[in-house]
Amino acid sequence: METNPPEGLDDPAYRAAVVDLLGVLAYGELTACIRMATDSDLAPSLRIKAQMAGFASTEYRQYELLVARLDDLGVDAEVAMQPFVAPFSAFHDRTKPKSWVEGLVKAYVGDGIAKDFYREMGSFVDQRTRDVMDHALDDAGTGEFIVGVVRDTLKTDPTAKGRLSLWGRRLLGEALSQGQSVAVERDALTGLLVGGGADLTEIGQMFTRLTDRHSERMARLGLTA
């Protein structure tokens, strides 16, 4: 998708879109940090607990990068994040994992879809904002860790494959639905896509890419998309 992102923030509509994008990313990182820290308490060994606590710490540092960018723009991070509290809560209410492993799959698959969507949106923003987004969206080894845990689980419990595959497919539908609803409800984000030159065909292609990447993640986990 060829885009021509504006380099300045003097356009009010563009500025509002950047604030929304940073706000939704920041809140996503904050909730991911909290979930990873909470899930670590359920881990079966001290080694895995420590690894998950480390990943939670990384999520928080990524959150801080986004907050710092909002501060640079003169925006209160709490105000920027507030519009996304209810949609995130609704998503997490609909996708409560029933086990520790389901929680890890959600972190890898659900968060992965969301981060892919925001990477796509990063094509439409100025370079400085994009650089901050790229750092905040870095996997930082979390995915490799989760893949190893899930594959080990499948070796010891062959019945888990069908259950976790179904769970992954459900997460795809819920995550795409959430992403679309957030974009539609926030006029500035919709305007960022349209203003950046994306037509309906290109937006459709974007969601196809998101689905393809989801399938790749599921395959790495040893699950069926």
Side-chain angles (χ1 to χ4, degrees):
M1 183 186 301
E2 293 185 4
T3 60
N4 297 294
E7 292 299 328
L9 287 155
D10 52 347
D11 179 358
Y14 172 70
R15 179 184 174 85
V18 168
V19 170
D20 268 357
L21 193 53
L22 293 171
V24 70
L25 266 174
Y27 191 65
E29 291 295 331
L30 180 59
T31 56
C33 166
I34 294 169
R35 291 199 327 273
M36 185 66 75
T38 301
D39 289 347
S40 70
D41 195 42
L42 303 174
S45 71
L46 291 176
R47 176 182 61 82
I48 295 178
K49 285 180 188 290
Q51 286 178 297
M52 293 180 68
F55 292 133
S57 177
T58 297
E59 297 279 8
Y60 188 77
R61 288 195 296 272
Q62 292 171 331
Y63 159 77
E64 289 182 311
L65 288 174
L66 295 158
V67 170
R69 178 58 176 151
L70 286 165
D71 286 343
D72 289 343
L73 298 175
V75 177
D76 185 319
E78 186 170 353
V79 173
M81 292 188 291
Q82 190 60 47
F84 308 103
V85 173
F88 270 76
S89 295
F91 171 74
H92 291 305
D93 284 344
R94 293 193 304 268
T95 57
K96 288 182 179 179
K98 295 179 180 179
S99 67
W100 172 69
V101 175
E102 280 193 8
L104 288 182
V105 172
K106 179 179 175 179
Y108 183 55
V109 173
D111 291 356
I113 296 166
K115 289 187 174 185
D116 281 343
F117 175 71
Y118 299 132
R119 287 189 187 95
E120 294 277 355
M121 294 292 286
S123 300
F124 300 94
V125 301
D126 57 277
Q127 188 62 52
R128 186 174 177 189
T129 299
R130 190 184 310 153
D131 289 343
V132 172
M133 289 176 60
D134 286 344
H135 280 95
L137 292 168
D138 183 25
D139 177 76
T142 306
E144 183 178 351
F145 162 75
I146 293 175
V147 167
V149 170
V150 172
R151 284 187 169 273
D152 286 345
T153 299
L154 297 182
K155 291 176 184 176
T156 58
D157 180 11
T159 66
K161 181 172 182 177
R163 183 175 67 255
L164 293 176
S165 294
L166 182 61
W167 174 238
R169 291 193 288 273
R170 180 182 169 191
L171 289 169
L172 171 65
E174 293 286 359
L176 290 179
S177 177
Q178 185 207 24
Q180 289 172 322
S181 64
V182 167
V184 168
E185 290 173 11
R186 303 300 294 178
D187 291 341
L189 290 177
T190 303
L192 185 64
L193 281 170
V194 176
D199 59 24
L200 289 177
T201 298
E202 289 172 321
I203 292 173
Q205 291 171 344
M206 178 182 73
F207 280 99
T208 297
R209 289 195 294 273
L210 296 180
T211 302
D212 290 343
R213 290 172 193 145
H214 166 77
S215 297
E216 292 169 2
R217 283 194 185 88
M218 292 288 281
R220 285 197 290 271
L221 290 170
L223 303 177
T224 305

